Amino acid sequence: MRAFQLLSQGEPANLIKCDRPNPASDEIRLKIEACGLNFGDLLMIKGTYQERPALPFTLGMEPAGVVDAVGEDVTNLKPGDRVAVYHGHGGLAEYGCFPAANCNLLPDNMTTTVGAGFLVAYGTSHLALEHRARLKAGETLLVLGAAGGIGLTAIEIGKRMGATVIACARGRDKLEIAANAGADHLIDSDTDDLHEVVKSLGGADVVYDPVGGDLFKAALRACNPEARIIPLGFASGQVPQIPANILLVKNIDVIGYYWGGYLKFAPKVLHDSLDTLLEWYAAGELHPHISHTLPLEQANEALELLRSRKSTGKVVVTI
């Protein structure tokens, strides 16, 4: 089979030929049809992600496809089932073996291409806003990086939870996509003063921030008393240093959050969240945005779309 593997840290990954794997007793083997890309894939190539698989390894955090074989202890899945998986790596290949516990059956109305771009983006936003930030109806949610993979899902979920959503993104084209996702107010990070605009709209009760850097600082200053701010990543390349005096004066919570970590210490919380999201999709209440779909042979080009920020929503590689 073919697999898109990282052989050396910091070097581009390459498409290689390797043996088809066999599932362990608690695993399924997936005939992969598509795999969603994430900013974490770029960090894995650099060796700066939270998890560092032993080299060489196959990239790709969220594959989707058809179950091809099951281990002897697997009872919840069977060959022929259509599933999406979150596993951290292994998805950019023709086949992969993954824990059955990490697999999610796809609704009949969800294609594998959509399924491959669904779990991480929607799962991250739902657990962040509902479980960690305790977002309430009537509150104001500020979403930074609002046209990205997780940003658009935060807009959709925030609106569904009854919040007023302020979307911040770079350029009018990206803001138009955020508006289509349901954002009530738009901020162009290239030209607008985020702090002034958010304050003029009444301030933020929850801040969803995958960007960091100067935007984090401006958002923190625009927070209302008892606001909650969630740093999800640092796409700006700058990890903000948080001034404790502002937290003290405004009684602000800064909430640590790593979605993938729930698989290890509270998997039921994560799986219940994904079950809810898949039910919402099946009912027609969520509308994933995939800006680019490229074949496995162009996986490096697909990653470059993320690196150069030329994509919106999700980038999916088809196998």
Side-chain angles (χ1 to χ4, degrees):
M1 72 171 197
R2 299 177 303 157
F4 187 69
Q5 290 198 348
L6 186 69
L7 306 178
S8 178
Q9 214 78 68
E11 297 294 326
N14 293 288
L15 196 59
I16 67 164
K17 288 187 177 181
C18 58
D19 293 335
R20 187 182 302 182
N22 292 311
S25 60
D26 62 344
E27 292 181 333
I28 60 97
R29 184 170 66 201
L30 188 68
K31 187 179 188 301
I32 301 169
E33 296 181 355
C35 182
L37 298 187
N38 295 276
F39 194 75
D41 294 311
L42 299 177
L43 299 180
M44 277 196 167
I45 292 171
K46 294 167 61 178
T48 58
Y49 194 61
Q50 296 97 319
E51 299 177 12
R52 299 184 184 182
L55 293 168
F57 68 89
T58 300
L59 287 160
M61 295 182 175
E62 48 178 343
V66 178
V67 175
D68 176 66
V70 301
E72 58 186 12
D73 295 334
V74 175
T75 58
N76 61 320
L77 294 169
K78 63 185 184 303
D81 284 342
R82 299 170 61 251
V83 301
V85 188
Y86 174 74
H87 186 57
H89 63 280
L92 287 169
E94 292 177 328
Y95 291 86
C97 291
F98 307 100
N102 293 6
C103 297
N104 298 268
L105 286 167
L106 297 181
D108 290 341
N109 61 342
M110 179 182 280
T111 67
T112 49
T113 298
V114 170
F118 188 86
L119 299 186
V120 172
Y122 280 98
T124 296
S125 292
H126 183 251
L127 212 57
L129 297 177
E130 191 273 337
H131 183 70
R132 295 294 285 151
R134 308 173 305 282
L135 178 67
K136 305 183 198 65
E139 290 189 316
T140 296
L141 167 67
L142 171 61
V143 179
L144 306 183
I150 59 174
L152 287 174
T153 61
I155 294 171
E156 274 196 278
I157 291 169
K159 288 299 297 179
R160 197 186 186 284
M161 293 176 69
T164 297
V165 178
I166 305 172
C168 178
R170 178 177 291 175
R172 303 313 300 178
D173 290 345
K174 290 186 176 182
L175 286 174
E176 183 176 344
I177 292 170
N180 291 338
D184 299 288
H185 305 284
L186 306 173
I187 297 175
D188 189 334
S189 59
D190 278 341
T191 59
D192 296 331
D193 185 321
L194 182 145
H195 171 257
E196 291 299 326
V197 175
V198 174
K199 291 299 288 183
S200 73
L201 294 170
D205 300 304
V206 174
V207 177
Y208 185 95
D209 178 21
V211 179
D214 290 339
L215 288 179
F216 176 95
K217 297 175 186 176
L220 183 63
R221 293 171 52 230
C223 280
N224 291 327
E226 293 195 329
R228 290 85 73 201
I229 185 165
I230 305 182
L232 294 109
F234 314 105
S236 67
Q238 300 176 33
V239 178
Q241 302 305 301
I242 300 169
N245 60 317
I246 295 179
L247 307 185
L248 182 152
V249 171
K250 289 191 174 183
N251 292 284
I252 292 173
D253 293 342
V254 179
I255 300 173
Y257 176 62
Y258 168 41
W259 180 74
Y262 279 84
L263 278 177
K264 296 179 180 178
F265 68 85
K268 187 177 187 303
V269 172
L270 187 147
H271 291 308
D272 287 350
S273 169
L274 291 177
D275 287 344
T276 296
L277 290 164
L278 289 166
E279 289 172 4
W280 289 355
Y281 180 89
E285 297 175 10
L286 298 175
H287 306 282
H289 176 81
I290 299 172
S291 66
H292 295 82
T293 303
L294 286 83
L296 182 61
E297 295 79 8
Q298 295 179 250
N300 273 315
E301 290 91 329
L303 288 166
E304 183 58 31
L305 290 169
L306 292 185
R307 188 179 289 111
S308 62
R309 301 184 190 178
K310 292 180 179 178
S311 62
T312 54
K314 293 291 289 190
V315 175
V316 174
V317 171
T318 55
I319 312 300

